[in-house]
Amino acid sequence: MLTSKKIVVCVTGGIAVYKAVALVSKLTQAGADVKVIMTRSAMEFVQPLSFQVMSRNDVYVDTFDEKDSSVIAHINLADWADLVIVAPATANVIGKLANGIADDMVTTTLLATTAKVWIAPAMNVHMYDNAAVKRNIARLSEDGYSFIEPSEGFLACGYVGKGRLEEPENIVKLVEDYFSPKDLPLKGQKVVVTAGPTRERIDPVRFLTNFSSGKMGYAMAEAAANLGADTVLISGPVSIDAPSNVTFVSVESAQGMYDAVVAQFDTASIVIKTAAVADYKPKVVQAQKMKKQPGEATIALERTTDILAELGTRKTNQLLIGFAAETNDVVHYAKGKLEKKNADYIIANDVTEAGSGFGTDTNSVTLVGHNGVEMHFPHLTKKELALQLLQTIIQLEKDGRK
Ligand code: PMT
């Protein structure tokens, strides 16, 4: 979530310094590039090496200890940062900052930065309540600094009250929220995507399936999540990893996929059925492995439920998007499915085309929609195509066309 975000953590001297180690570790694990500046008092509690190991970066303490002669460290760090967090912030550093004092590496960097600065105080309850500290906090708030309020609880000094450094995981959540884009088009919407094949068991060792790799469906789920949707990916058995930003539901058969989709349907805004669902399943699943017999064998099949068609009869406000894997008259058949399944869009996939359809990393499709939309998308990677398809559909819906 924080990949490529540059965060400076200023650590000042209080017992909560040990929590700052956890904060730096969690920010780094979330993908941020973290650089730590410590005051000399902070070093009384924890050695710089702990922060160096957690951040995998040099730790800065002395303004005059220039590690790189081509730059001035405190200006360089101040310019580099996307966000500066002072944690724990002592009454002393709050007082210095409120009065424009810059007498060490932490305070010179704080005065030099134009990045957003968050201050997370941690101190004794009476110190936090002290009039001078309150005055300094009020002044810094007026100057545009933000505060992460301390929480209440047992303090190291033996008191119970307000003054504990906010828990590192809560600070990380605030940071993630700060950096998460606010104007994504699918924010607040739930998108359900199905992907992959289904398996229809014949006996304990055999099944009917198809060549779907899940790549197209997984790309649709990732694109929906990247556009801000709360995304649920319901997948048949595949050998690729689910995107990290979706809720993953694993299913095996058409019936399992039906149950999983229906369970999500009422709260969904958009359902995208990329899965290649079996149309038929064995009428009887043999309890024992079938033995070979001389001559031909016949397996009686029966229809599975058409999940998309079923959703088409149930839909209220949901936008229903299906795919259609075709080998001929692609657009003609896709339009038929649009009508028959009461879908809003069908993405028609000519699976005979080179570089398209099952298993490939690329695809080329035609989007057909109610009210006559028919748009061709030439070969693109499945990831790029997924994003373009969703952005197009979002725009079409915005324009009031389908
Ligand atoms: O997974 P990949 O290797 O990346 O390949 C991608 C893909 C080729 C599987 C994909 O692009 C695709 O075309 N998916 C739809 C395949 C398919 O089953 O098409 P269909 O024409 O048989 O079905 C039409 C629609 O009805 C689909 O949205 C399908 O999910 C749905 N359906 C079909 C049968 C059924 N019992 N229930 C359904 O919901």
Side-chain angles (χ1 to χ4, degrees):
M1 297 258 324
L2 297 177
T3 306
S4 80
K5 299 296 179 259
K6 293 176 285 205
I7 301 174
V8 168
V9 177
C10 297
V11 183
T12 68
I15 186 64
V17 169
Y18 77 94
K19 280 177 147 181
V21 179
L23 173 65
V24 169
S25 167
K26 285 177 193 303
L27 289 171
T28 308
Q29 282 172 44
D33 192 359
V34 182
K35 294 190 179 175
V36 175
I37 312 174
M38 298 178 78
T39 59
R40 296 220 172 266
S41 323
M43 283 167 57
E44 297 290 333
F45 294 90
V46 170
Q47 289 295 308
L49 184 61
S50 303
F51 288 106
Q52 183 185 313
V53 171
M54 291 306 174
S55 67
R56 292 176 218 121
N57 274 316
D58 286 340
V59 174
Y60 299 79
V61 177
D62 185 346
T63 324
F64 302 103
D65 173 23
E66 296 291 3
K67 296 177 195 300
D68 176 356
S69 58
S70 66
V71 294
I72 298 166
H74 67 279
I75 304 296
N76 199 37
L77 276 178
D79 291 346
W80 175 84
D82 296 320
L83 176 69
V84 179
I85 305 172
V86 190
T90 57
N92 183 51
V93 79
I94 290 170
K96 283 203 241 176
L97 194 56
N99 290 284
I101 296 170
D103 62 353
D104 61 9
M105 186 67 189
V106 165
T107 45
T108 48
T109 308
L110 286 171
L111 289 202
T113 193
T114 53
K116 184 81 189 156
V117 178
W118 289 358
I119 300 169
M123 63 194 79
N124 165 270
V125 59
H126 297 311
M127 286 174 82
Y128 189 63
D129 212 27
N130 179 279
V133 174
K134 281 177 155 165
R135 203 164 50 236
N136 289 334
I137 289 177
R139 183 187 282 191
L140 287 172
S141 298
E142 275 169 32
D143 289 347
Y145 291 90
S146 296
F147 281 82
I148 301 170
E149 277 210 30
S151 52
E152 296 201 22
F154 282 101
L155 303 175
C157 51
Y159 282 90
V160 176
K162 198 165 181 166
R164 286 164 61 95
L165 178 68
E166 181 55 285
E167 294 308 319
E169 47 273 30
N170 293 340
I171 298 179
V172 174
K173 271 191 210 136
L174 291 172
V175 174
E176 287 177 339
D177 190 50
Y178 173 72
F179 282 116
S180 78
K182 303 290 180 279
D183 53 355
L184 289 171
L186 293 180
K187 201 155 176 82
Q189 301 208 40
K190 175 167 157 184
V191 175
V192 177
V193 181
T194 69
T198 62
R199 278 183 189 168
E200 309 305 327
R201 289 182 184 224
I202 298 168
D203 69 12
V205 299
R206 302 182 181 94
F207 50 82
L208 300 175
T209 191
N210 58 64
F211 290 111
S212 174
S213 63
K215 287 178 187 172
M216 191 67 233
Y218 279 46
M220 294 301 290
E222 191 172 5
N226 288 342
L227 291 171
D230 176 10
T231 305
V232 180
L233 170 60
I234 299 169
S235 175
V238 296
S239 56
I240 57 174
D241 291 330
S244 56
N245 48 356
V246 306
T247 303
F248 183 72
V249 180
S250 169
V251 298
E252 182 178 289
S253 63
Q255 184 61 44
M257 187 168 281
Y258 172 84
D259 293 340
V261 173
V262 166
Q264 301 286 343
F265 190 58
D266 288 348
T267 51
S269 317
I270 303 175
V271 178
I272 306 173
K273 292 237 54 260
T274 321
V277 187
D279 290 320
Y280 292 92
K281 63 178 179 181
K283 213 165 174 175
V284 177
V285 180
Q286 303 295 333
Q288 310 294 336
K289 182 184 170 191
M290 286 171 71
K291 295 293 177 201
K292 50 181 173 290
Q293 308 285 349
E296 292 177 357
T298 304
I299 298 170
L301 300 177
E302 65 182 5
R303 287 292 304 271
T304 57
T305 306
D306 188 322
I307 306 167
L308 185 58
E310 172 67 23
L311 299 182
T313 64
R314 290 180 180 220
K315 78 174 175 189
T316 48
N317 295 317
Q318 296 89 344
L319 193 74
L320 266 193
I321 303 169
F323 273 71
E326 303 291 350
T327 53
N328 60 299
D329 296 328
V330 175
V331 172
H332 170 73
Y333 283 122
K335 284 181 177 168
K337 285 177 182 173
L338 186 74
E339 198 68 31
K340 233 173 40 213
K341 302 193 187 209
N342 194 25
D344 297 285
Y345 295 94
I346 292 281
I347 296 159
N349 209 167
D350 183 345
V351 293
T352 62
E353 226 182 88
S356 280
F358 292 98
T360 54
D361 288 328
T362 55
N363 210 0
S364 147
V365 298
T366 303
L367 174 71
V368 297
H370 276 179
N371 303 349
V373 165
E374 186 178 323
M375 290 172 76
H376 185 64
F377 292 74
H379 274 105
L380 291 167
T381 65
K382 283 180 173 169
K383 286 187 180 210
E384 283 173 85
L385 178 65
L387 192 61
Q388 286 198 15
L389 282 166
L390 281 182
Q391 284 171 333
T392 304
I393 290 169
I394 290 164
Q395 193 56 49
L396 288 168
E397 289 299 299
K398 228 178 175 177
D399 295 346
R401 295 159 50 203
K402 287 187 179 176

